[in-house]
Amino acid sequence: MRVPLSWLREYVDLPATETGRDVQAKLISAGLEVETVEHPGADLKGPLVVGQVLTIEELEGFKKPIRFCTVDVGQANGTGEPQEIVCGARNFSVGDKVVVVLPGATLPGGFSISARKTYGKTSHGMICSSDELGMGDDGTHGIIVLPPETEVGKDAVELLELVDEVLDIAVTANRGDCLSIRGVARETAIAYGLPLRDPALLDVPGPNAYGYPVKVSDPAGCDRFTARTVTGLSPEARSPIWLQRRLQKVGMRPISLAVDVTNYVMMELGQPLHAYDRHQVQGTIGVRRAQEGEKIVTLDGVERKLHAEDLVITDDRGPIGLAGVMGGADTEIADHDPSEEGAGATTDVIIEAAHFDQVSVARTARRHKLSSEASRRFERGVDPQAAAAAAQRTVDLLVLLAGGTAEAGVTEVVAPGAPHTITMAADHPDKVAGVTYGRETVVRRLQEVGCDVYGQDELIVTVPSWRPDLTDPNDLAEEVIRLEGYENLPSTLPRPPAGRGLTARQRLHRRIGRALAGAGYVEALNYPFVSEQVFDQLGLEADDPARRVVKLANPLSDEEPALRTSLLPGLLAALRRNDGRGSHDLALFETGLVFQPRDAAEVAANLPVDRRPSPDDIAALNAALPDQPRHVAVVLAGAREQAGWWGKGRPADWADAVEAARTVAREAGADLRMRKGQYGPWHPGRCAELTVTVDGAERVVGHAGELHPRVLKTLGLPARACAMELDLDVLERVGDTVPQAPSISTFPVATQDVALVVDAFVPAADVEAALREGAGELLESIRLFDVYENAEQLGEGRKSLAYALRFRADDRTLTVDEASAARETAVALAADRTGAVLRG
């Protein structure tokens, strides 16, 4: 909410010496978030005057139209002679009153004005547009044309109110009253301890039988509807300069007099209004829920298909407006077109000032993606008692500025209701703040807010109509505390109870994070939202379980409406983003939850707020939530080892992704096994399927390897990128996290090397598993140290795998025969299972 200080002073007699910065400090202390104080016109230096165009000469021979003008500026130039000015704009004519800046002046942005030769003429100044003066958009995109009655030579800085201070306030969702000058003025008056001249205190005639007919069919959606009629508006009437300038300062664009007046009153009182062309409204105005499939063309020119929950304004034809959001094009106010001599201009209007349900307006605005100044206010809460005053204020301005006549008829449809009252102990704010305020202070502060307070030890508080956010004693306590000053609250550190440290699961996750970071990976935290198209990009089968997603009812982005079932989409997006910004050597990891829908969908019950939920309540809530296992994933691209004087370096490959899985498994104490696999985004020839044994059965817990070239191309990833993903919860379940102290044997190791020739398609992991099992308990470790392929020596489609086997006994020195026997047994089992043959 932008609040001009000059407008604010109309309702609060601030000291003349108070600046915008002073007011900002006061309002911030009272709990309002004043982000900035702008100073329009601060760097503007005159002379800036009103001039009248005397002559216009069209200059030819240039790429764009250029005009040489003489302008009467009175005695502002010191000579009284016409001012010669070159101008390229074409939206003014001879006789028009314009704004002229003379040599020696400085415009906003430090632009100095001097006489200069241009287009073969000497221009002594400029004829100004609103943008050049820092006024904002006036809708003309050209020169400012002033009303004919404006005095020539008058100071335009004062006339256009160019110098001011504007407070920019970030209004929170619960303070809809501060989306108006009236609301901010009330807060300012409280902060300074000054009286408020409430602009809503107007003499308003009561409803009668002569008003325009209105029928409200949904009183829950619209509990108040005021209608007033003004006739005989002058088609030539334009918004005066002061009204246009105030709208521009609060960030709105002047449009036409009738529309400008409704916007002005909305910004002044906080009550959204709408003006209908009376001749376009057919029959009774109604308020009802839309019928499914009804359509309306709104003021932005878009045809919208209505939902059955939309609250609409209707006439005998059907919907003519989305209640509280935007009016319809059928009853739009028509502006005067000078070329048509007033034909088609609106002369009679119906003013609507209504109060609509917050939730209904919010849902309609989001459903149609149509946020407006009106919907912003209704969503946050509008004073229902201000509707009649806002309608009266609008009528008064239209009569004053457009020469209209206010009809005697007043329509006011009001649903029965009572003021909201709250019972609160007088010392409740003291208990909340830990400060003794006392009853007198509590009552005084609540009365300043606008509450009626009765009682002694127990207060009965009637909440003002403009504060719908005050619903319980804690809200009232907050009002007292903020007005007394948050800065006056004592600073005390809480004393937390002694904890029991991290859980085993938390310790495991931290160990895994540290281990991956130590291996050169950088943690990347990504949003848990994905689009369903990403599964096609990852090459998942149509029946893949990962395609079953939990969709959000109200997603942050329509492009990503689902919760992730894998960590890879977010990590690969981070990889692509960093690679696109010049970081090509990447190793990223993430640990986080994925979301898997349950087979039987359940609806979560609303938990009680007046007590702690029971174990059954919590169990029912958890049963309605999707399964949320924790996964770990890594992605790699570019160089894994950098080149330098120490060596050539090497690129990241599938083996690094597999080693990352081994690193995670070691930290979890799990026996992770690997075999050749094929799944989704991984290259079928360079993909390891990762398994563990759970309750005696083998279970796949993830995959690692190089990504498929087709996936890399689709996602725009660097070549030969690799990835790994594991289910951490399963690893934790089967792992042994008890720390194992390393054992140091006093007996020497016996090393035996073996080179086996197998078919090229046989995975090295299968050969290693057979050797490990065949070697028995004496085997201490096994390591693959060479892979050799040569068709001439080994045969077509064959490869040689060389392993180093280390044997050791705990109680003796092994003999050569014992080590050789274990080696031969291992080779025999490998030959039986994989067809391996000793090389040589």
Side-chain angles (χ1 to χ4, degrees):
M1 177 68 191
R2 293 168 56 84
V3 180
L5 192 59
S6 58
W7 198 350
L8 193 64
R9 288 182 182 274
E10 283 197 9
Y11 310 125
V12 184
D13 288 327
L14 295 172
T17 57
E18 287 295 285
T19 66
R21 295 291 185 191
D22 299 328
V23 178
Q24 177 188 31
K26 285 283 189 179
L27 292 179
I28 289 176
S29 179
L32 292 186
E33 186 179 346
V34 184
E35 293 187 327
T36 59
V37 178
E38 299 177 7
H39 299 81
D43 53 353
L44 178 64
K45 178 183 176 183
L48 188 72
V49 299
V50 175
Q52 184 173 20
V53 180
L54 300 178
T55 64
I56 298 177
E57 177 188 350
E58 300 288 346
L59 302 182
E60 298 180 355
F62 301 102
K63 293 183 179 180
K64 62 180 182 178
I66 298 297
R67 311 167 95 186
F68 180 66
C69 310
T70 59
V71 185
D72 178 12
V73 294
Q75 296 299 318
N77 58 5
T79 65
E81 295 295 325
Q83 201 79 3
E84 296 179 339
I85 298 175
V86 175
C87 183
R90 308 192 65 78
N91 68 313
F92 64 96
S93 306
V94 172
D96 283 345
K97 302 290 181 64
V98 294
V99 179
V100 178
V101 57
L102 300 177
T106 302
L107 293 182
F111 182 55
S112 298
I113 303 299
S114 61
R116 65 190 183 95
K117 190 169 183 179
T118 178
Y119 297 102
K121 301 286 186 179
T122 300
S123 181
H124 299 272
M126 283 176 54
I127 302 176
C128 298
S129 67
S130 59
D131 287 338
E132 290 165 340
L133 297 179
M135 295 170 56
D137 185 10
D138 63 356
T140 65
H141 303 292
I143 293 304
I144 301 170
V145 179
L146 300 172
E149 63 273 12
T150 310
E151 178 186 351
V152 172
K154 184 178 179 62
D155 183 3
V157 175
E158 179 182 351
L159 175 69
L160 300 177
E161 301 177 11
L162 296 178
V163 179
D164 203 346
E165 293 183 275
V166 180
L167 284 69
D168 192 354
I169 303 175
V171 179
T172 54
N174 65 319
R175 291 303 304 272
D177 60 305
C178 288
L179 286 174
S180 66
I181 303 296
R182 178 196 184 202
V184 176
R186 183 181 294 109
E187 291 294 317
T188 305
I190 296 172
Y192 278 91
L194 297 171
L196 169 70
R197 288 190 293 274
D198 192 342
L201 294 180
L202 302 174
D203 291 331
V204 179
N208 53 51
Y210 309 108
Y212 197 91
V214 174
K215 180 181 179 182
V216 177
S217 302
D218 190 340
C222 175
D223 58 6
R224 184 178 294 267
F225 194 107
T226 300
R228 299 288 300 275
T229 303
V230 181
T231 61
L233 301 181
S234 171
E236 290 82 14
R238 291 291 175 266
S239 300
I241 292 174
W242 64 266
L243 191 148
Q244 294 187 45
R245 288 297 296 129
R246 286 192 170 179
L247 289 178
Q248 287 174 328
K249 288 177 185 179
V250 298
M252 302 192 76
R253 179 172 62 87
I255 299 173
S256 64
L257 178 58
V259 176
D260 291 350
V261 167
T262 58
N263 286 336
Y264 177 84
V265 176
M266 175 179 67
M267 303 307 297
E268 182 180 53
L269 301 182
Q271 167 67 52
L273 302 110
H274 189 68
Y276 300 93
D277 188 328
R278 183 176 181 178
H279 297 297
Q280 302 299 325
V281 178
Q282 299 180 11
T284 300
I285 292 178
V287 184
R288 61 169 171 82
R289 297 290 172 176
Q291 299 174 8
E292 191 70 39
E294 276 188 306
K295 295 181 179 179
I296 182 177
V297 178
T298 46
L299 288 174
D300 58 357
V302 177
E303 183 179 74
R304 303 181 186 278
K305 187 176 181 181
L306 301 179
H307 189 274
E309 291 184 4
D310 291 335
L311 192 67
V312 293
I313 311 298
T314 65
D315 64 3
D316 291 350
R317 296 168 296 178
I320 59 173
L322 285 173
V325 180
M326 185 174 286
D330 290 342
T331 57
E332 181 180 5
I333 298 295
D335 199 6
H336 168 58
D337 186 348
S339 64
E340 299 182 8
E341 299 182 356
T346 298
T347 58
D348 300 341
V349 297
I350 301 171
I351 305 300
E352 166 208 305
H355 185 261
F356 301 111
D357 177 61
Q358 292 179 240
V359 175
S360 176
V361 172
R363 288 179 175 173
T364 297
R366 284 159 178 71
R367 188 179 298 119
H368 295 284
K369 297 180 178 60
L370 187 61
S371 179
S372 64
E373 290 289 344
S375 67
R376 286 184 62 223
R377 284 160 176 78
F378 280 121
E379 289 174 19
R380 289 160 175 77
V382 169
D383 181 5
Q385 302 294 333
Q392 182 63 45
R393 176 73 164 138
T394 305
V395 169
D396 292 344
L397 287 173
L398 288 176
V399 170
L400 175 66
L401 302 177
T405 301
E407 289 194 351
V410 177
T411 303
E412 191 164 358
V413 181
V414 182
H420 180 57
T421 60
I422 303 171
T423 300
M424 178 186 74
D427 61 349
H428 181 66
D430 302 3
K431 295 177 179 178
V432 172
V435 176
T436 302
Y437 293 120
R439 179 187 177 281
E440 291 185 4
T441 299
V442 171
V443 172
R444 174 171 58 84
R445 288 303 190 183
L446 293 179
Q447 288 175 339
E448 288 177 345
V449 172
C451 299
D452 291 330
V453 186
Y454 302 95
Q456 293 298 320
D457 294 339
E458 187 173 76
L459 303 179
I460 299 175
V461 182
T462 302
V463 174
S465 58
W466 57 81
R467 291 299 302 274
D469 58 306
L470 303 181
T471 59
D472 58 58
N474 285 332
D475 293 331
L476 300 179
E478 181 184 3
E479 293 300 296
V480 175
I481 295 168
R482 75 176 180 88
L483 294 179
E484 284 295 305
Y486 289 119
E487 68 275 9
N488 295 323
L489 293 177
S491 237
T492 56
L493 292 175
R495 295 181 179 178
R500 291 176 291 180
L502 299 177
T503 65
R505 188 183 193 194
Q506 290 170 328
R507 288 195 297 270
L508 172 61
H509 295 162
R510 290 196 179 188
R511 287 202 312 272
I512 289 173
R514 285 194 294 265
L516 290 174
Y521 292 86
V522 176
E523 187 171 15
L525 302 179
N526 300 290
Y527 283 120
F529 313 118
V530 297
S531 66
E532 293 184 86
Q533 288 73 24
V534 75
F535 302 124
D536 296 327
Q537 296 170 340
L538 293 178
L540 300 185
E541 299 292 339
D543 58 348
D544 194 294
R547 286 183 175 269
R548 293 186 62 238
V549 296
V550 178
K551 290 188 177 180
L552 299 173
N554 187 22
L556 294 178
S557 169
D558 291 339
E559 296 180 357
E560 296 179 331
L563 291 173
R564 66 189 179 191
T565 55
S566 167
L567 301 182
L568 287 184
L571 274 177
L572 293 176
L575 183 72
R576 179 178 63 248
R577 185 164 53 252
N578 282 276
D579 180 71
R581 294 177 180 175
S583 298
H584 304 302
D585 303 326
L586 296 162
L588 308 177
F589 85 94
E590 181 179 9
T591 60
L593 301 179
V594 299
F595 306 87
Q596 300 167 351
R598 298 180 186 270
D599 294 332
E602 299 183 20
V603 178
N606 292 326
L607 295 182
V609 295
D610 58 340
R611 58 180 173 82
R612 187 184 187 281
S614 67
D616 291 340
D617 292 334
I618 297 176
L621 177 63
N622 289 332
L625 297 176
D627 290 328
Q628 301 175 55
R630 183 174 290 272
H631 282 199
V632 59
V634 305
V635 293
L636 306 99
R640 185 63 176 143
E641 295 178 3
Q642 295 291 335
W645 57 266
W646 52 85
K648 296 182 179 180
R650 69 173 183 85
D653 60 17
W654 62 268
D656 295 301
V658 172
E659 183 57 30
R662 288 196 179 102
T663 300
V664 172
R666 281 195 296 270
E667 294 297 328
D671 182 14
L672 186 68
R673 298 177 184 175
M674 297 159 198
R675 64 189 180 200
K676 183 179 179 180
Q678 181 175 346
Y679 177 71
W682 280 277
H683 192 299
R686 298 165 190 162
C687 173
E689 190 174 73
L690 312 174
T691 66
V692 295
T693 301
V694 182
D695 299 329
E698 191 176 54
R699 177 171 172 179
V700 177
V701 292
H703 295 83
E706 183 179 316
L707 295 175
H708 199 289
R710 183 173 58 250
V711 172
L712 299 179
K713 182 179 180 180
T714 302
L715 294 177
L717 298 172
R720 309 302 293 268
C722 303
M724 178 277 294
E725 184 166 13
L726 277 173
D727 188 329
L728 264 184
D729 285 356
V730 177
L731 288 184
E732 180 185 5
R733 178 180 171 186
V734 302
D736 182 8
T737 57
V738 177
Q740 300 292 329
S743 60
I744 301 176
S745 176
T746 59
F747 298 97
V749 65
T751 302
Q752 296 271 351
D753 293 343
V754 57
L756 302 176
V757 179
V758 296
D759 291 332
F761 62 81
V762 176
D766 292 351
V767 178
E768 179 180 325
L771 290 173
R772 187 182 299 277
E773 182 178 345
E777 296 180 354
L778 294 179
L779 182 67
E780 182 179 78
S781 67
I782 182 172
R783 179 174 63 88
L784 175 66
F785 66 86
D786 183 57
V787 178
Y788 178 69
E789 295 182 4
N790 188 310
E792 294 182 2
Q793 297 184 16
L794 304 177
E796 192 69 32
R798 304 280 282 175
K799 65 181 177 182
S800 170
L801 304 175
Y803 294 90
L805 288 73
R806 291 167 58 92
F807 298 97
R808 195 195 309 260
D810 294 334
D811 56 352
R812 68 189 187 280
T813 299
L814 291 178
T815 64
V816 174
D817 292 340
E818 288 177 310
S820 298
R823 171 182 175 275
E824 291 172 1
T825 305
V827 170
L829 186 59
D832 181 57
R833 290 188 177 178
T834 65
V837 178
L838 276 174
R839 179 183 170 191

